[in-house]
């Protein structure tokens, strides 16, 4: 990979992916784009940055040609809770943006990555150790978009030979940028609130297990899959990858080991709870391990130690 264009680059994943990729491939070789510009963000100040609305195909093609890209990482999307609140907008951005990005990849003949999600599964999917290939009948607009997106990426590979790759991310936990409107966001919020006030009110109910992953593992997964030997990829798009699975009590108990006075209660949001109930408890990532060597370094304990340390270093919770 020599010239990489990233869409939705100011989001939770993009802000960390762009900086990591600039460190590996060179600052000038990673072109960050987003609908908005955050003055002062390292993504904007340390390398090329362009405003790009992914629903504008001509604008995306123009930038792809201008920078002579060989890789397109498509991240811009609305997440599950926002998509459920604005389903038509989600369809237009999530599907319209994806088909534009795939078309650009076809036109300039570049490698392509986009993430799917645990949201691509639904209530009829096996909940535990969810297989790579299984029933996918999601009941959310986000899930409909993700399944259609997985199929579209397969189609562009088979029909046009576009080198499409992707993973099904679980909920991602990170400290650089806040998450952008998902169901798993509680597992980020809880660390901020623990440090700020010593208590947290969870919008996800007691006993609700979901797959999660710490951002450094997610960033490594994107880069490693993009660098993987194409001849070894049987699935190519939408690899299940998972690092840990927990319910609200378990993350609270882990935080309590560092902050014994921490307390959590519940005020369940029926919309986000309904979404969470339709998702798997834990995915099987065997295919990702076998086909491109996926490994996760962080479990709940190691992530919690690092999250609290990094947030304290940012001054979160300091009086
Ligand atoms: P985010 O919400 O944090 O960021 C999305 C970015 O896209 C934002 O910076 C936003 O400004 C931008 N954007 C929105 N509409 C746009 C448009 N029309 N044109 C250009 N940019 C636009 O999202 P994220 O968490 O970084 O997620 C990126 C991708 O990863 C999405 O496809 C998401 O579904 C997927 N994913 C994320 C998670 C997670 O936990 N963060 C888990 C599974 C899958
Ligand atoms: C969300 O909750 O919408 C995302 C995801 C798991 O796709 N974090």
């Amino acid at each position: 990979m020599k010239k990489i264009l990233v869409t939705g680059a100011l989001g939770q994943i993009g802000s960390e992916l762009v900086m990591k990729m600039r460190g590996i491939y060179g600052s000038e070789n990673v072109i960050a784009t987003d609908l908005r510009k955050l003055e002062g963000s390292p993504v904007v100040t340390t390398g090329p940055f362009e405003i790009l609305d992914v629903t504008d195909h001509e604008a995306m093609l123009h930038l792809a040609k201008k920078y002579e890209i060989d890789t397109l990482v498509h991240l811009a999307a609305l997440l599950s809770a926002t998509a459920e609140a604005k389903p038509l907008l989600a369809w237009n951005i999530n599907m319209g943006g994806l088909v534009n990005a795939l078309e650009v990849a076809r036109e300039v003949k570049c490698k392509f990555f986009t993430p799917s999600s645990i949201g691509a599964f639904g209530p009829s999917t096996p909940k535990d150790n969810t297989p790579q290939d299984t029933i996918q009948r999601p009941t959310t607009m986000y899930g409909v978009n993700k399944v259609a997106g997985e199929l579209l990426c397969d189609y562009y590979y088979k029909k046009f030979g576009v080198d499409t790759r992707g993973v099904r991310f679980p909920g991602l936990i990170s400290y650089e940028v806040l998450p952008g409107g998902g169901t798993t966001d509680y597992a980020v919020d809880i660390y901020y609130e623990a440090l700020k006030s010593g208590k947290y009110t969870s919008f996800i109910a007691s006993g609700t297990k979901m797959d999660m992953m710490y951002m450094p593992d997610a960033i490594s997964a994107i880069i490693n899959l993009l660098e993987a030997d194409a001849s070894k990829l049987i699935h190519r798009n939408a690899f299940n990858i998972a690092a840990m699975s927990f319910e609200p009590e378990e993350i609270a108990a882990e935080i309590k080991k560092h902050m014994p006075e921490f307390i959590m209660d519940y005020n369940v949001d029926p919309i986000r709870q309904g979404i969470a109930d339709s998702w798997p408890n834990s995915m099987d990532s065997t295919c990702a391990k076998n086909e491109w060597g996926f490994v996760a370094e962080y479990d709940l304990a190691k992530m919690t130690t690092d999250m609290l340390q990094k947030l304290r270093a940012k001054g979160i919770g300091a009086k």
Side-chain angles (χ1 to χ4, degrees):
M1 295 188 288
K2 295 197 186 70
K3 283 273 181 191
I4 305 156
L5 186 139
V6 181
T7 72
L10 288 171
Q12 192 193 3
I13 300 177
S15 324
E16 298 200 36
L17 180 68
V18 165
M19 299 312 290
K20 184 76 180 184
M21 283 183 149
R22 283 185 178 155
I24 298 172
Y25 304 106
S27 294
E28 289 309 307
N29 295 325
V30 182
I31 300 97
T33 72
D34 204 290
L35 189 59
R36 61 204 166 109
K37 186 172 186 178
L38 284 179
E39 301 294 346
S41 160
V43 169
V44 173
T45 58
T46 63
F49 179 87
E50 302 269 3
I51 295 282
L52 173 65
D53 180 345
V54 293
T55 61
D56 184 341
H57 169 261
E58 285 312 307
M60 203 189 302
L61 184 60
H62 169 74
L63 290 180
K65 287 182 174 165
K66 173 178 165 185
Y67 287 99
E68 299 181 331
I69 65 166
D70 60 21
T71 307
L72 176 48
V73 177
H74 178 59
L75 300 177
L78 298 190
L79 273 73
S80 58
T82 311
E84 221 36 40
K86 299 172 185 167
L88 190 59
L89 182 66
W91 178 268
N92 289 337
I93 293 175
N94 295 0
M95 297 315 302
L98 177 60
V99 82
N100 284 343
L102 283 164
E103 269 298 290
V104 168
R106 181 182 69 76
E107 286 162 301
V108 303
K109 297 188 176 27
C110 74
K111 196 179 268 194
F112 185 86
F113 175 92
T114 199
S116 185
S117 158
I118 48 172
F121 296 116
S124 52
T125 301
K127 268 204 163 324
D128 294 303
N129 210 26
T130 304
Q132 174 68 41
D133 301 309
T134 185
I135 301 164
Q136 289 184 267
R137 304 290 293 172
T139 47
T140 62
M141 176 52 89
Y142 184 65
V144 169
N145 297 163
K146 288 303 185 193
V147 175
E150 292 180 4
L151 295 172
L152 203 55
C153 289
D154 284 347
Y155 181 80
Y156 267 73
Y157 170 63
K158 290 201 184 88
K159 176 87 177 171
F160 303 118
V162 178
D163 185 355
T164 55
R165 302 174 185 213
V167 295
R168 291 184 187 126
F169 275 134
L172 300 180
I173 295 164
S174 65
Y175 53 84
E176 290 287 0
V177 167
L178 286 167
T183 302
T184 57
D185 296 10
Y186 93 87
V188 178
D189 300 345
I190 193 170
Y191 289 106
Y192 280 80
E193 290 309 314
L195 289 170
K196 283 186 201 160
S197 65
K199 54 183 194 255
Y200 181 64
T201 300
S202 174
F203 60 77
I204 293 296
S206 164
T208 311
K209 269 198 187 293
M210 284 186 276
D211 264 319
M212 303 281 178
M213 181 180 285
Y214 199 32
M215 192 59 87
D217 284 330
I219 300 300
S220 299
I222 296 175
I223 294 170
N224 292 342
L225 177 54
L226 275 168
E227 293 282 10
D229 178 352
S231 69
K232 301 230 162 60
L233 301 180
I234 299 162
H235 285 87
R236 208 158 245 295
N237 294 298
F239 282 97
N240 282 2
I241 57 168
M244 61 191 99
S245 169
F246 56 75
E247 53 196 75
E249 294 87 333
E250 289 171 290
I251 186 169
E254 201 56 48
I255 291 172
K256 257 180 178 295
K257 289 182 189 166
H258 299 259
M259 307 174 66
E261 70 291 357
F262 174 67
I263 50 168
M264 183 176 69
D265 60 9
Y266 296 89
N267 182 13
V268 174
D269 168 13
I271 305 282
R272 285 178 287 186
Q273 185 61 39
I275 297 174
D277 286 340
S278 76
W279 288 356
N281 294 337
S282 61
M283 290 186 291
D284 173 18
S285 5
T286 307
C287 292
K289 287 177 186 152
N290 291 345
E291 292 175 40
W292 51 278
F294 165 74
V295 279
E297 201 191 309
Y298 287 87
D299 60 12
L300 177 57
K302 192 171 173 190
M303 173 180 77
T304 298
T305 303
D306 200 59
M307 269 299 275
L308 293 172
Q309 191 193 327
K310 293 290 181 2
L311 288 175
R312 282 191 177 112
K314 280 177 78 176
I316 304 296
K319 293 270 182 309

